[in-house]
Amino acid sequence: MRHKHGYRKLGRTSAHRKALLKNLAIALIEYEKIETGVFKAKELQSYIEKLVTTAKQADLNTHRYVFAHLQSKSATKKLISEIAPRYLERNGGYTRIQRTRLRRGDASPMAIIEFVS
């Protein structure tokens, strides 16, 4: 049972899960809208919202913190300079998840995750 357990394992090892979330976050920052599985999207939402909240400060330590989580210079720069300033007046709720379809191959529920405008 997973009573009060903090995260979804997504059927992966911890290193694989960390790499998956990092790559999904980079893709979301780059394209601002991606389609993925519902459970991956829900985990990504928690991951990216913490980064956006931190990125709103926009100082050197923020750059280092975000880069440590993303390992992508371009995604870090875009998050801090373009995306985070949009949400200075907002206290959370930076992303939206919309369920879209069932994937044809395995009938997995899919969802679009995007930044709220």
Side-chain angles (χ1 to χ4, degrees), residues 3 15 51 62 97:
H3 294 276
L51 286 178
T62 301
I97 296 176

Side-chain angles (χ1 to χ4, degrees), residues 42-73:
K42 287 182 177 183
E43 278 301 301
L44 176 61
Q45 187 173 35
S46 171
Y47 186 83
I48 199 77
E49 295 215 0
K50 290 172 187 170
L51 286 178
V52 173
T53 300
T54 304
K56 289 197 296 186
Q57 295 174 7
D59 59 358
L60 180 62
N61 286 333
T62 301
H63 277 271
R64 289 177 176 165
Y65 178 85
V66 172
F67 182 75
H69 282 80
L70 294 179
Q71 295 293 308
S72 169
K73 288 182 182 180

Side-chain angles (χ1 to χ4, degrees), residues 7-30:
Y7 57 90
R8 293 170 184 83
K9 290 186 177 180
L10 301 174
R12 290 162 169 80
T13 62
S14 59
H16 189 182
R17 188 170 50 250
K18 183 179 176 184
L20 171 79
L21 289 173
K22 177 184 74 162
N23 288 323
L24 284 173
I26 291 169
L28 180 60
I29 291 166
E30 186 176 332

